[in-house]
Amino acid sequence: MKSTPKGPGTPARTATPSRPAKRPAATSAVRAKNARAAQEFFSGIVQELRRVTWPTREEWIAATILTVVLVVGVGVFTYLVDITFGAIFSFLTGGAR
């Protein structure tokens, strides 16, 4: 038997369950499987980190100095280009900013 709406815009069925459906409880087998998977994941991470060839202290220092020099160089270059284009546009527009 179909229920009919009582008027325009009303839903055909208005009864809703008083509580949302519960999720089934995880069994101990599922928890054990998840624990094994997590343990394997983290042991894999440790194994990969042992294979990494870490740089020496001198290599770290050289890379850090190179990075700082390049960042400062790009910053100075950007500043000089900004000043140059600002002067060019100021000249073209008659000094108005």
Side-chain angles (χ1 to χ4, degrees):
M1 169 159 116
K2 289 186 177 180
S3 61
T4 58
K6 296 180 181 171
T10 58
R13 296 180 186 209
T14 57
T16 57
S18 60
R19 289 187 265 175
K22 288 186 176 182
R23 290 177 35 207
T27 63
S28 61
V30 172
R31 288 182 182 170
K33 180 182 174 187
N34 289 341
R36 278 193 304 274
Q39 185 179 8
E40 289 175 11
F41 175 75
F42 286 111
S43 68
I45 290 174
V46 171
Q47 289 175 2
E48 286 297 322
L49 287 175
R50 286 184 181 150
R51 293 182 195 165
V52 172
T53 305
W54 298 101
T56 63
R57 182 174 176 85
E58 292 78 22
E59 291 172 335
W60 275 105
I61 291 172
T64 302
I65 290 171
L66 178 65
T67 302
V68 170
V69 168
L70 287 175
V71 167
V72 169
V74 168
V76 169
F77 174 76
T78 304
Y79 174 74
L80 293 174
V81 169
D82 180 48
I83 295 295
T84 303
F85 279 109
I88 291 170
F89 289 131
S90 179
F91 175 74
L92 292 175
T93 59
R97 271 205 166 215

